[in-house]
């Protein structure tokens, strides 16, 4: 349908250009023929160079109309005069009709624009559905947790006989405490790498249940360690993926990049998690753009999950 109207649109424009050309040609012919005829009647030969044009016009008019007029007793061929009058009338009619032709062209343009907009809307809707489907297919979640400890006794007065505490050993013990607590979470799988722990879910809907539990467990361990003058810093990142994603080469490197930010006051994520989370009902977190100049891979946006009050 749109192709038909586009063809009609081009034909109308071509027709308008043709009418414009006809007007120009007729006005030129009227000028030269009328000048030749007028000066010929007056007995001057100023426009004799237009005689071939005038004769051609006269021969053409005489095919359909052959008449003469009498001026001061002289009989004069009126074919050129008839041609000029008819030509001026045609130019006048074309000038008046072009208004309606332009209106018709505008009407066709609106139809074409409307059809194009309909096609764009259909395409955008199909793209939206496809994008939404692709986003919703990312139903798997991976959460990475990294912990670091800081010995608070270093800032305090240390006795000469007080032994230096082993931070690495304490971090390992703390990591085991964390893993022992987290492994009780139902519906999760775990993978360890040094002092980094990856929690994997197969149901995105569980994310608002698991994340608060992880935070609660970390806060509990923080309280216990603080009594022994240890400060714990936890860095958490979260990513979504579908069943076709290469976890080792795609998901895990993304998680590593997130904890490299070393943001300890929230859970970091990329834009694809933000998009997926927007489709979740009863959201417990706000996702805000990370307020930093830090960028991953030259410019990927990073966001932070902030618990709703």
């Amino acid at each position: 349908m749109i192709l038909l109207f586009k063809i009609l649109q081009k034909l109308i424009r071509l027709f308008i250009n043709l009418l414009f050309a006809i007007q120009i040609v007729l006005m030129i012919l009227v000028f030269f023929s009328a000048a030749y005829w007028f000066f010929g009647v007056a007995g001057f030969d100023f426009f004799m160079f237009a005689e071939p044009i005038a004769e051609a016009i006269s021969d053409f008019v005489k095919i359909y109309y052959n008449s003469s007029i009498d001026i001061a007793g002289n009989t004069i061929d009126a074919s050129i005069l008839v041609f000029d009058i008819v030509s001026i009338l045609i130019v006048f009619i074309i000038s008046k009709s072009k208004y309606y032709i332009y209106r018709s062209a505008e009407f066709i343009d609106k139809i074409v624009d409307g059809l194009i907009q309909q096609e764009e809307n259909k395409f955008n809707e199909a793209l939206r559905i496809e994008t939404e489907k692709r986003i919703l297919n990312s139903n798997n979640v991976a959460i990475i947790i990294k912990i670091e400890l800081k010995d608070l006794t270093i800032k305090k007065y240390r006795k000469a006989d007080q032994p230096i505490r082993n931070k690495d050993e304490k971090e390992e013990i703390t990591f085991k405490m964390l893993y022992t607590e987290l492994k009780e979470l139902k519906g999760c799988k775990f993978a360890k790498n040094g002092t980094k722990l990856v929690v994997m879910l197969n149901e995105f809907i569980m994310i608002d249940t698991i994340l608060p539990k992880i935070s609660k467990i970390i806060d509990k361990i923080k309280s216990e360690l603080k009594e022994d003058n240890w400060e714990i810093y936890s860095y958490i990142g979260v990513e979504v993926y579908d069943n076709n994603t290469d976890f080792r080469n795609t998901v895990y490197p993304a998680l590593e990049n997130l904890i490299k930010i070393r943001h300890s006051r929230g859970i970091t994520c990329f834009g694809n998690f933000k998009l997926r989370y927007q489709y979740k009902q009863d959201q417990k977190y706000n996702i805000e753009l990370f307020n930093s100049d830090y960028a991953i891979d030259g410019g990927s946006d990073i966001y932070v999950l902030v618990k709703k009050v």
Side-chain angles (χ1 to χ4, degrees):
M1 178 64 72
I2 189 171
L3 179 61
L4 178 62
F5 279 103
K6 281 187 174 182
I7 293 174
L8 182 58
Q9 189 180 43
K10 291 181 178 180
L11 289 176
I12 290 177
R13 290 173 180 172
L14 180 62
F15 183 60
I16 291 173
N17 293 333
L18 179 61
L19 291 178
F20 183 70
I22 290 174
Q23 280 184 299
I24 293 176
V25 171
L26 287 178
M27 291 307 296
I28 292 173
L29 292 176
V30 167
F31 173 75
F32 283 108
S33 62
Y36 171 80
W37 184 84
F38 176 78
F39 285 108
V41 172
F44 299 100
D45 56 358
F46 294 156
F47 274 79
M48 290 302 295
F49 63 88
E51 183 177 3
I53 298 175
E55 289 182 353
I57 292 174
S58 178
D59 292 340
F60 173 76
V61 173
K62 287 177 179 179
I63 297 175
Y64 305 97
Y65 178 81
N66 191 358
S67 180
S68 60
I69 59 177
D70 186 68
I71 298 178
N74 296 319
T75 301
I76 301 174
D77 185 4
S79 57
I80 294 178
L81 181 60
V82 171
F83 171 81
D84 292 342
I85 295 173
V86 172
S87 297
I88 292 173
L89 182 61
I90 292 174
V91 169
F92 176 78
I93 293 173
I94 290 175
S95 298
K96 293 299 183 181
S97 63
K98 280 200 299 186
Y99 168 79
Y100 300 100
I101 296 173
Y102 279 124
R103 292 291 299 272
S104 300
E106 291 175 359
F107 179 72
I108 297 297
D109 289 343
K110 289 182 180 179
I111 293 177
V112 171
D113 291 341
L115 291 174
I116 291 175
Q117 187 62 50
Q118 287 181 8
E119 292 292 327
E120 289 180 355
N121 292 341
K122 289 180 181 179
F123 174 79
N124 291 335
E125 179 64 16
L127 183 62
R128 185 193 65 79
I129 293 173
E130 180 62 27
T131 302
E132 182 176 320
K133 181 180 178 181
R134 178 178 57 80
I135 292 173
L136 292 175
N137 282 340
S138 298
N139 203 40
N140 302 325
V141 185
I143 306 166
I144 191 169
I145 307 167
K146 177 178 173 58
I147 60 172
E148 291 181 354
L149 293 183
K150 183 177 182 180
D151 188 357
L152 298 179
T153 62
I154 295 177
K155 296 182 178 180
K156 300 180 180 180
Y157 177 76
R158 182 188 297 276
K159 296 179 181 179
D161 60 345
Q162 184 177 349
I164 298 175
R165 300 196 294 182
N166 190 322
K167 184 172 75 73
D168 293 337
E169 181 179 337
K170 189 64 176 179
E171 280 184 350
E172 185 176 349
I173 294 172
T174 304
F175 182 80
K176 289 180 180 179
M177 292 171 56
L178 177 65
Y179 177 64
T180 300
E181 293 280 353
L182 290 178
K183 71 179 183 179
E184 300 299 325
L185 297 176
K186 296 181 180 180
C188 299
K189 297 179 181 179
F190 302 90
K192 297 184 290 181
N193 183 11
T195 56
K196 291 177 285 190
L197 178 66
V198 178
V199 183
M200 291 164 283
L201 317 173
N202 292 329
E203 294 293 336
F204 186 85
I205 196 173
M206 295 175 60
I207 190 67
D208 277 351
T209 301
I210 297 300
L211 287 179
K213 289 182 179 180
I214 291 175
S215 298
K216 186 176 181 181
I217 291 171
I218 292 175
D219 290 340
K220 176 185 174 183
I221 296 175
K222 279 184 178 181
S223 298
E224 294 176 0
L225 291 177
K226 196 167 186 179
E227 294 178 0
D228 194 27
N229 287 317
W230 288 99
E231 181 71 31
I232 181 172
Y233 296 93
S234 60
Y235 312 112
I236 305 174
V238 61
E239 179 68 312
V240 293
Y241 59 99
D242 58 28
N243 294 327
N244 298 321
T245 304
D246 185 346
F247 186 89
R248 181 183 296 274
N249 297 316
T250 302
V251 180
Y252 187 74
L255 294 172
E256 286 274 11
N257 284 332
L258 287 173
I259 60 173
K260 285 179 182 176
I261 302 171
R262 300 175 63 83
H263 182 66
S264 60
R265 296 185 300 277
I267 302 168
T268 55
C269 67
F270 289 115
N272 51 348
F273 181 89
K274 178 177 180 291
L275 289 174
R276 180 63 182 86
Y277 195 73
Q278 289 175 345
Y279 289 94
K280 186 181 182 305
Q281 296 180 348
D282 301 324
Q283 301 168 0
K284 293 184 179 180
Y285 292 87
N286 293 318
I287 300 184
E288 302 173 357
L289 187 65
F290 186 45
N291 185 21
S292 171
D293 294 331
Y294 195 98
I296 294 294
D297 296 332
S300 298
D301 287 336
I302 302 169
Y303 299 86
V304 178
L305 279 72
V306 180
K307 193 79 171 1
K308 291 182 178 180
V309 180

